[in-house]
Amino acid sequence: MRIMKSKFKYILSTCLLILGMTACDINRLPETSISDATFWRSETDLIAATNYLYTFIPGFNTEDVWSDDAIGLTSNNISDGSRLAPSTDGNYTSPYQLIRAANNIIEKGPKAAATTSQAVIDRYIGEARFFRAWGYYSLVQKYGDVPLILKILDDTSPELTEPASPREKIFDQIYQDLDFAASKLPTIATLGIGNFGRISNTGALAFKARVALFEGTRSKFHNYGDYKKHLTLAVAAAKAVIDSKQHALYANYFDLFQYAGEGLQNKENIIVKQYGVSLTDRVLTHTYFRGTLENGNKNPTKSLVDSYLMSDGLPITKSPLYKAPVKSTDVFVGRDDRLNQTVMKAGDPYIFTKKVFDVAVLVFQKTGFCFRKFSNIDDWNTQASSIDRPILRYAEVLLAYAEAKYELDGSISDADLDLAINPLRARGKIAKLTNAFVTTNGLNMRDELRRERRVELAQEGHRYWDLIRWKTAEIELPKPVLGNYFFKSEFGTTTTVNLTPDNYILVTAANFRKFDPAKDYLWPLPLNEISLNPNLKQNPNW
């Protein structure tokens, strides 16, 4: 695993070479001190240029607090509906920095033809087109229509004041870029240990499945566009990844998010954010466990915990196995094993000053729950973790395939459930999902597919965007934020806690949360961008 990470040191150091070339504002960037006359001459130059793109892969964050899965120590203006249009916003400018860097490579990469084969040039242009698609998806996901820029601009370029392009046109460009990338990039097996972490052809296809599922379901439930077009693409892209046989589920769910799950031997990871090699060769580290989870900046909610099934495959509201808990460990008894691997319970390894977890510290973990994914007692002590962050896993591809098939056809066969859903449930040690099981137990297949996605991908930054595309954010986000049952003998009485009438921790009352469906399904454009471009119009009602 550490050997596989050694390549990352090279990526970080070489990307600094061209940082000045690509890290400024996309619309108004002078050419750099690196002369085109001495660059773009070899494969080494193409590698150096594309390495910079990898710095835009997102690291650990607290984005789950935007959703109903988590809440931090303080209120969040996205999930509670209190935000205002900002003057500037890195969520808007950073993707355009990435897009400009990608456009630069796409335009200038062919100059290396004198010393480099077309196949090699296409490979790195494929990486650039993947990252251009990544940047545009990040933009349109949040803002809808945005300017579509496919070439390098200067201060006199008329594109600087063009209006935003329709989202359908942007998605068509994203698909074109990802199709090119998928056709030109090597397989993950061909990349091997030496190039582990670079985008593979299945990385491009898996990301296409994510993109097309988002737009297909969003257009379906928000009632615009041709949702079948996008869902058809999602099904095909996901199935292509499945049929490639390049990926498989990792046996141990907890270890997916530990050092044991890193590197080429883990066939589930398709795209990862790589961190450093060791404490003595750090390069890049994070403090996600100590600085975010243990400190209470991202705590699981009762809503998330309640979504985990009992081992018989039924929700806690239907299963005869469910018993009201009388102590904190009862919450985990007889449940989907992924709950045990995602949320701390008494007896789990914890932190260096309290090596075994007993109960959440309510002054920090306000819900009475603490996330467990990525927890590592040694990393807590050193305050320098180099556990990689999985960005796109094979599990997500399976979930995308199942959901897209269901939303496209209005049903899903047991064969497809066995292909895409039941392997995940088997890893969680819960009963299979079948059409007969749904009918017999008065369940809804759509709800069960969405539930499976929620628990499998919990704490990985998907839930908010799922609520947005399903058009259920207006239902779920205004609800009160609840936490664990208040076990007085375990939590004690030294911390003042608000409780519901049935003795659950009340973190935030419903009157402090809102979601306006007339505006909050799109983000506000930064005011400075609108003033720079008079043809750029603010999103409705902001």
Side-chain angles (χ1 to χ4, degrees), residues 101-112:
N103 283 341
N104 201 45
I105 294 167
I106 294 165
E107 282 192 17
K108 298 174 182 175
K111 292 182 179 181

Side-chain angles (χ1 to χ4, degrees), residues 61-69 134 137 141 206-207 210 213-214 257 298 373 389-393 395-397 399-400 450 453-470:
N61 54 57
T62 59
E63 290 179 3
D64 287 293
V65 304
W66 300 347
S67 75
D68 58 345
D69 272 3
W134 183 284
Y137 176 63
Q141 187 182 43
F207 185 61
R210 175 189 287 184
L213 176 68
F214 177 87
F257 314 102
K298 185 161 76 173
K373 280 184 181 179
R389 182 193 177 197
I391 300 295
L392 204 163
R393 299 192 278 119
E396 183 189 340
V397 174
L399 290 162
R450 290 180 176 183
R453 179 178 176 88
R454 185 180 191 182
V455 301
E456 174 64 33
L457 302 179
Q459 199 192 324
E460 296 178 54
H462 294 272
R463 177 67 174 174
Y464 171 79
W465 296 113
D466 289 342
L467 298 178
I468 293 295
R469 63 189 178 90
W470 295 332

Side-chain angles (χ1 to χ4, degrees), residues 1-8 192-197 262-266 274 277:
M1 178 271 297
R2 297 297 183 182
I3 294 173
M4 294 175 186
K5 281 188 160 187
S6 62
K7 190 78 172 180
F8 186 73
I193 292 176
N195 284 292
F196 177 77
E262 291 191 341
L264 194 62
Q265 49 83 34
N266 178 358
Q274 289 189 281
V277 179

